[in-house]
Amino acid sequence: MRKQLLPGEQVIVVTRQQARRLFLPVAAFILTPAFAAFGCAWIVQGGPARVLPVMSGGEWTFWLLLACVFLALLVLLGYCLPKYLEWLAVQYILTSRRIIARFGMLRRHDWQLSLAAVRNVGLRQSLIQRTLRSGNISLDTGQPGGTLMPDVPEAARFRSFILEAIDGLPPAPANDSGNTWTRREGGQDGW
């Protein structure tokens, strides 16, 4: 991040999305090995032979244990790991001049918004987000569409950091009215 900063720019906050998105993957990460261990112990104790008498004998035990371990690995590597990497791939960076949002790991895309362009900073929270002190921050630049930062942790504090950073921007020059068009009096219109 240091290489991408503008001269005189400082990083104020770097954060990720609210970790509540990881609740189900973490629960699955904890419960899957427990269920797999229980299933393996049940198989070794001869449980399948009691349910299906055809499976009596030791030739099925190895394959059933292998299937149980394979299912556990499938849940861990096919559900838990991608959800964690998806959460890890989103990053919000507030500097003294810009807001940067980065998405993705292998195929990364990001957007940057100058704090000078921000006209309004909104905060929207659902009941769960309010309980966990997270929220969706919307940044209005006067352009259609606006920009949304979903599930920002400590959303009220992050919003206050944005507003303080906007207040800390140097004032615009007096001769700059924000209008890039120049008015010419009389004469022909030039292309």
Side-chain angles (χ1 to χ4, degrees):
M1 184 65 200
R2 295 268 180 233
K3 294 178 185 176
Q4 297 175 356
L5 292 177
L6 301 172
E9 187 176 27
Q10 297 176 347
V11 174
I12 298 172
V13 177
V14 177
T15 188
R16 301 192 183 283
Q17 287 185 327
Q18 173 69 27
R20 74 179 166 91
R21 296 173 165 257
L22 296 177
F23 179 76
L24 290 177
V26 167
F29 185 78
I30 293 170
L31 294 176
T32 298
F35 285 132
F38 178 79
C40 288
W42 182 74
I43 291 168
V44 169
Q45 293 294 325
R50 286 186 222 129
V51 175
L52 290 171
V54 176
M55 293 188 170
S56 63
E59 65 271 1
W60 288 97
T61 304
F62 173 74
W63 295 109
L64 290 174
L65 287 174
L66 190 64
C68 188
V69 170
F70 176 75
L71 286 174
L73 284 175
L74 187 67
V75 169
L76 293 176
L77 297 177
Y79 175 69
C80 298
L81 183 63
K83 291 293 185 181
Y84 174 69
L85 292 176
E86 181 182 309
W87 173 79
L88 200 61
V90 178
Q91 190 175 34
Y92 302 126
I93 303 163
L94 173 65
T95 70
S96 58
R97 294 189 184 174
R98 304 179 280 170
I99 298 174
I100 304 165
R102 293 185 175 161
F103 304 93
M105 285 189 159
L106 299 177
R107 292 185 323 152
R108 175 166 273 185
H109 70 279
D110 64 353
W111 55 259
Q112 298 181 22
L113 183 62
S114 172
L115 289 176
V118 175
R119 301 291 177 243
N120 187 20
V121 180
L123 174 61
R124 191 166 252 199
Q125 295 174 306
S126 67
L127 182 62
I128 293 173
Q129 286 177 328
R130 191 167 178 167
T131 304
L132 297 173
R133 297 189 310 206
S134 68
N136 302 330
I137 295 179
S138 61
L139 304 167
D140 182 22
T141 59
Q143 300 294 325
T147 305
L148 181 70
M149 298 170 60
D151 247 353
V152 178
E154 297 288 337
R157 183 180 291 175
F158 195 85
R159 181 176 144 194
S160 69
F161 286 156
I162 293 172
L163 294 173
E164 288 174 10
I166 291 173
D167 288 341
L169 289 173
N175 61 356
D176 183 20
S177 64
N179 189 358
T180 58
W181 300 96
T182 58
R183 181 185 302 232
R184 289 195 275 177
E185 299 293 333
Q188 289 183 324
D189 291 336
W191 292 95

